C-alpha cells in the first residue's frame, strides 16, 4: 500500500501502477464490479505466497485461488461474495500473525499471445551514486500456475531471457522491443529512487506485468531481491555482471570509509 501511494504521486510511475486499496469486503466488491478479476495480497508476502486471485467463473460463481503466506496451494469456491468472511477459512491465514496487512489490487491481464500469464523482473543496482539496470528476465506460467495467474519461479513458472519473451511470446519487432525496454528502464530507475528515500538499499528487484496495450505495469519493488533466476538465462552473464557490480560496491564503500 505504501508503494502504491508513493508511485501514484509521481508523474511517471502513476501511469503504470494497478489500482490498489487496503483489503475490506467493501473494497473487494467495488473492485470486482470494475475488473475481470482482482488479487488479494499480503503486505509481507514473497515468492508468490500470500496472494489470492478472486474471479467469477462461467457459471457466475466466485472462486479464490493462490498460495497462503505459508506456501500452501488452495482453491476456494465462494457461494456469496457479499457474505464472504475470510476468517471462516483458516487456510487463508487471515488470523494470527497474518491478521492484518492485506490489500486488494486490480487484476492485470498480463499474458502472452497464447494467453499464458507472464511477468518481468528487472534488477537495479547503485554504483558511484548512479542507478544502473543490470539485468532483466521474463517469466511465463506453466499449466501448474495458469489458473491463479501467479507467475513466480518458486511456484513453477518458466524463466527466460527478456528478448525471448518479447520476440517469441509477445511478437514484438526490434523497434517495439527497444522502445519497451527503454520505458521499462525509465520506470524502474524512477521507482527505486522513490523507494530508496524510505528504504535505502544498493539493489532492488522490480516486478512488472504487461497490459493489453503492451504497456509495462509496475507491480512492486522488492527491497531484498533474489538473483538466483539470473543463472537460468544468457549463460549466467547477467548474474556475473550483478556479482561484479556488488564487488565494485564493496570497493566503493571501502574508499568512502578510508576518506572518512
Amino acid at each position: 500500500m505504501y508503494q502504491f501511494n508513493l508511485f501514484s504521486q509521481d508523474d511517471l510511475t502513476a501511469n503504470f501502477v494497478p489500482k490498489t486499496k487496503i483489503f475490506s469486503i467493501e473494497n473487494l466488491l467495488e473492485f470486482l464490479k470494475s475488473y475481470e478479476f482482482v488479487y488479494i495480497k499480503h503486505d509481507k508476502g514473497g515468492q508468490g505466497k500470500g496472494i489470492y486471485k478472486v474471479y467469477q467463473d462461467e457459471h457466475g460463481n466466485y472462486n479464490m485461488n493462490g498460495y497462503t503466506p505459508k506456501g500452501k496451494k488452495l482453491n476456494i469456491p465462494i457461494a456469496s461474495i457479499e457474505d464472504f468472511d475470510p476468517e471462516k477459512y483458516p487456510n487463508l491465514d487471515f488470523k494470527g500473525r497474518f491478521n492484518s496487512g492485506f490489500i486488494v489490487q486490480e487484476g492485470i491481464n498480463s499474458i502472452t499471445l497464447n494467453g499464458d500469464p507472464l511477468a518481468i523482473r528487472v534488477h537495479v543496482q547503485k554504483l558511484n551514486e548512479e542507478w544502473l539496470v543490470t539485468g532483466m528476465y521474463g517469466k511465463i506460467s506453466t499449466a501448474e500456475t495458469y489458473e491463479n495467474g501467479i507467475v513466480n519461479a518458486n511456484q513453477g513458472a518458466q524463466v527466460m531471457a527478456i528478448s525471448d519473451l518479447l520476440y517469441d511470446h509477445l511478437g514484438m519487432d526490434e523497434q517495439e522491443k527497444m522502445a519497451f525496454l527503454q520505458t521499462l528502464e525509465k520506470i524502474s530507475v524512477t521507482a527505486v529512487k522513490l523507494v530508496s528515500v524510505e528504504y535505502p538499499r544498493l539493489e532492488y528487484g522490480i516486478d512488472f506485468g504487461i497490459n493489453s496495450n503492451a504497456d509495462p505495469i509496475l507491480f512492486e519493488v522488492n527491497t531484498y531481491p533474489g538473483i538466483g533466476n539470473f543463472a537460468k538465462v544468457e549463460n549466467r552473464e547477467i548474474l556475473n555482471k550483478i556479482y561484479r557490480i556488488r564487488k565494485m560496491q564493496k570497493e566503493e564503500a571501502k574508499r568512502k570509509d578510508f576518506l572518512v
Side-chain angles (χ1 to χ4, degrees), residues 124-134 189 192-193 201-204 241-256:
V124 180
Q125 294 172 282
K126 190 175 187 179
L127 184 65
N128 298 323
E129 302 304 317
E130 182 180 359
W131 289 107
L132 308 171
V133 175
T134 53
V189 170
V192 300
K193 285 180 177 178
R201 304 283 188 272
L202 289 176
E203 56 188 283
Y204 299 85
K241 179 181 180 180
I242 292 172
Y243 284 138
R244 289 196 300 272
I245 296 294
R246 286 183 175 181
K247 183 178 179 180
M248 288 187 281
Q249 288 171 336
K250 291 179 180 178
E251 293 171 350
E252 180 184 5
K254 288 179 180 179
R255 288 195 301 269
K256 289 181 177 180

Side-chain angles (χ1 to χ4, degrees), residues 154-167:
N154 291 285
Q155 307 300 346
Q158 177 187 357
V159 176
M160 65 186 63
I162 188 68
S163 292
D164 292 342
L165 176 69
L166 301 182
Y167 283 140

Side-chain angles (χ1 to χ4, degrees), residues 27-220:
N27 288 339
L28 176 62
L29 292 173
E30 175 192 333
F31 275 42
L32 286 171
K33 290 178 181 177
S34 302
Y35 308 114
E36 179 182 352
F37 59 92
V38 304
Y39 283 101
I40 298 173
K41 298 181 178 181
H42 193 268
D43 193 42
K44 303 200 182 302
Q47 300 180 336
K49 300 175 185 177
I51 303 178
Y52 312 112
K53 180 180 180 180
V54 184
Y55 63 97
Q56 197 170 19
D57 63 24
E58 64 273 16
H59 304 295
N61 301 314
Y62 283 94
N63 292 274
M64 174 185 290
N65 57 54
Y67 298 90
T68 72
K70 297 176 182 177
K72 183 177 180 179
K73 188 175 182 179
L74 55 78
N75 190 328
I76 298 174
I78 304 173
S80 174
I81 194 68
E82 291 80 7
D83 299 328
F84 173 66
D85 181 0
E87 294 198 0
K88 292 181 179 179
Y89 299 87
N91 286 339
L92 292 178
D93 286 332
F94 269 69
K95 290 186 176 182
R97 66 190 181 99
F98 298 110
N99 190 42
S100 61
F102 280 90
I103 60 166
V104 58
Q105 190 172 75
E106 170 191 359
I108 301 297
N109 204 23
S110 178
I111 57 175
T112 67
L113 295 176
N114 291 329
D116 299 319
L118 69 88
I120 294 172
R121 166 58 66 91
V122 178
H123 198 80
V124 180
Q125 294 172 282
K126 190 175 187 179
L127 184 65
N128 298 323
E129 302 304 317
E130 182 180 359
W131 289 107
L132 308 171
V133 175
T134 53
M136 299 182 186
Y137 61 77
K139 296 175 288 184
I140 294 180
S141 77
T142 58
E144 181 181 340
T145 60
Y146 180 84
E147 188 176 41
N148 54 47
I150 299 171
V151 191
N152 189 285
N154 291 285
Q155 307 300 346
Q158 177 187 357
V159 176
M160 65 186 63
I162 188 68
S163 292
D164 292 342
L165 176 69
L166 301 182
Y167 283 140
D168 300 337
H169 297 277
L170 290 172
M172 292 187 183
D173 59 29
E174 182 65 20
Q175 183 177 357
E176 291 170 332
K177 175 196 132 180
M178 294 307 299
F180 180 85
L181 292 179
Q182 288 175 0
T183 301
L184 202 61
E185 290 192 11
K186 189 174 182 180
I187 297 170
S188 297
V189 170
T190 300
V192 300
K193 285 180 177 178
L194 293 169
V195 171
S196 65
V197 175
E198 183 76 18
Y199 300 96
R201 304 283 188 272
L202 289 176
E203 56 188 283
Y204 299 85
I206 304 98
D207 291 324
F208 287 92
I210 301 177
N211 67 13
S212 58
N213 295 321
D215 296 320
I217 300 298
L218 173 57
F219 289 146
E220 64 180 4

